[in-house]
Amino acid sequence: MAAYFFGISGAPHMRGWHHLYPALPAFHGREQLRAGIGALIGISMCALIVSFGESYGASSLYLVAPLGATAVLVFCVPNSPLAQPWSAIVGNVTSALVALAAIQNVPAPWSAGIAVGGAITAMMFVRALHPPGGAVALLTALDPAPALKTGPLFAVMPIGLTTTALVLTAIVYNRVTGRVYPFRQPEPEEAHEPEQRLGLSTEQLGELLERFNQSANVGIADLGRLLAAAEAEAAQHRFDGTTCGDVMTTELVTVRLDTPLLEAAGLFRGHKIKSLPVVDSDMTLHGLVLQADLLAGFAGQDGPTALRQRSLRRSVSEVMRPAVRAVSHDLPVGALLNRLAAQGSEVVPVTQGRRLVGILTRSDIIGLLLQGAEDRLPE
């Protein structure tokens, strides 16, 4: 009977009970202890600053209750946009200023609503939405005497100073305990691990957040990380643990560092290949020569005679590119999908240690994708 009452039964008229269940998943490991100790340290640091200020006669410096809510955000959900330093500090300070203006110009009891509503609007306007800011505004309206006595300085001390102290403590504590705070901001000038961004630009990720009205809940960089992790997991299931070593081409045509360009050109022409790995006698990989690199090595000559004379003196070591995109033979092949599809790579060297053991091309991936295609065709 109890199970039926709490919605475990499949009865249609009782299925709505699951909407009342906890929305948060269970916290893993010692996260509860980590967050709790962080809040303890953070609020204690604020109390220490207040105590120090009082000893010097700073009567306007004291703790305010909304700091407890700020502590929940910066220590429990440090990846939330609502918990970031700008949101916390500017949000609380802005709310205090708006609330001060409300209690000075609007009579009670209307000042409370005006203070909270105005604070929310102002925080959104300056892109510093911080839920404890609403509590700052309400507290100021309900107990206006300290704010009226201190004046505009009330927004700086105690609100701004204590919030800043709490945020600084959170930055240090989260970093020390393995959490990223402040959260990752996108850097469009730099290409950080492009293969982990699904081929989506920062603008496109931002548009996704806007479309689903989630800009206040998750940052752009973290959304990219989550989507990339989901793609990698899906690819792992799709290819059933297939590694680069399982599908790579092992019949290799290679050159040495001192191989002349003309000889390399002959290998390209004779084997109909698109790349030449540059190795030494024990197959240690040094670089990669593409057809475009070879053409660039021949470019800029005065004529056929000068071309031949100069090319006889040049080797592939002068035109090769570093093999920075080489991958390990045991890397799941799904991890390369975005690089081959979206990043323009056509060939990826596969190594075991530093030794070249194979080459992975788009053709190898296409062949893998087509395996069993006949079985999937509709009859």
Side-chain angles (χ1 to χ4, degrees):
M1 184 69 176
Y4 182 85
F5 179 80
F6 284 105
I8 299 176
S9 165
H13 63 283
M14 297 298 290
R15 289 176 183 171
W17 279 100
H18 73 278
H19 295 297
L20 302 180
Y21 295 172
L24 288 174
F27 290 96
H28 296 290
R30 301 178 179 178
E31 179 61 18
Q32 303 96 319
L33 188 61
R34 188 205 67 82
I37 292 176
L40 184 154
I41 295 173
I43 296 298
S44 297
M45 287 296 297
C46 292
L48 186 63
I49 291 173
V50 168
S51 177
F52 185 78
E54 288 177 345
S55 66
Y56 282 87
S59 59
S60 62
L61 186 58
Y62 49 88
L63 290 177
V64 293
L67 283 179
T70 295
V72 172
L73 288 173
V74 299
F75 291 105
C76 296
V77 285
N79 279 10
S80 169
L82 302 176
Q84 300 315 298
W86 175 270
S87 297
I89 298 172
V90 177
N92 280 351
V93 169
T94 299
S95 297
L97 290 173
V98 170
L100 180 61
I103 61 177
Q104 288 176 334
N105 296 281
V106 180
W110 314 111
S111 57
I114 295 294
V116 175
I120 292 173
T121 302
M123 285 191 292
M124 296 179 73
F125 183 78
V126 297
R127 297 169 61 188
L129 188 61
H130 187 60
V136 169
L138 184 58
L139 175 67
T140 304
L142 294 178
D143 185 19
L148 291 173
K149 178 182 178 181
T150 308
L153 187 62
F154 172 76
V156 178
M157 190 170 70
I159 302 300
L161 182 60
T162 53
T163 303
T164 300
L166 187 61
V167 166
L168 291 176
T169 304
I171 290 174
V172 175
Y173 181 80
N174 281 311
R175 295 278 179 171
V176 169
T177 57
R179 299 297 296 271
V180 177
Y181 181 76
F183 73 179
R184 303 165 180 84
Q185 292 279 14
E187 301 179 27
E189 298 84 5
E190 302 178 16
H192 291 295
E193 300 180 349
E195 67 273 11
Q196 295 189 8
R197 293 296 298 273
L198 307 160
L200 297 178
S201 67
T202 296
E203 291 75 16
Q204 289 171 320
L205 289 172
E207 289 171 1
L208 280 175
L209 291 175
E210 290 291 338
R211 185 190 310 170
F212 293 97
N213 198 27
Q214 294 297 312
S215 298
N217 296 324
V218 64
I220 290 176
D222 284 322
L223 174 63
R225 292 173 57 244
L226 288 171
L227 291 178
E231 181 194 55
E233 190 70 19
Q236 180 73 3
H237 288 292
R238 167 66 179 85
F239 294 113
D240 195 24
T242 302
T243 66
C244 294
D246 296 330
V247 296
M248 66 185 181
T249 298
T250 56
E251 297 179 2
L252 302 175
V253 179
T254 63
V255 292
R256 302 292 178 86
L257 288 167
D258 58 354
T259 300
L261 292 186
L262 283 179
E263 182 179 335
L267 291 173
F268 274 115
R269 184 171 58 252
H271 292 275
K272 307 297 182 184
I273 54 179
K274 296 181 179 180
S275 66
L276 281 170
V278 182
V279 298
D280 57 21
S281 57
D282 63 353
M283 292 300 287
T284 298
L285 180 65
H286 291 281
L288 199 66
V289 178
L290 304 183
Q291 290 182 353
D293 302 324
L294 200 65
L295 292 174
F298 287 138
Q301 307 302 324
D302 296 329
T305 302
L307 171 63
R308 183 173 182 81
Q309 290 176 346
R310 181 170 174 79
S311 62
L312 286 173
R313 297 192 299 270
R314 302 193 72 186
S315 65
V316 296
S317 63
E318 300 179 53
V319 300
M320 71 178 187
R321 60 185 63 190
V324 294
R325 292 185 177 273
V327 298
S328 176
H329 71 289
D330 56 359
L331 179 74
V333 72
L336 288 181
L337 287 181
N338 190 64
R339 179 187 297 183
L340 294 172
Q343 304 303 321
S345 300
E346 293 188 359
V347 58
V348 178
V350 182
T351 59
Q352 187 169 0
R354 292 190 61 192
R355 295 181 62 254
L356 179 71
V357 293
I359 289 289
L360 195 60
T361 66
R362 287 183 179 180
S363 299
D364 297 321
I365 297 295
I366 291 173
L368 181 63
L369 289 170
L370 292 178
Q371 284 182 4
E374 298 84 355
D375 299 332
R376 296 193 296 270
L377 290 175
E379 297 181 358

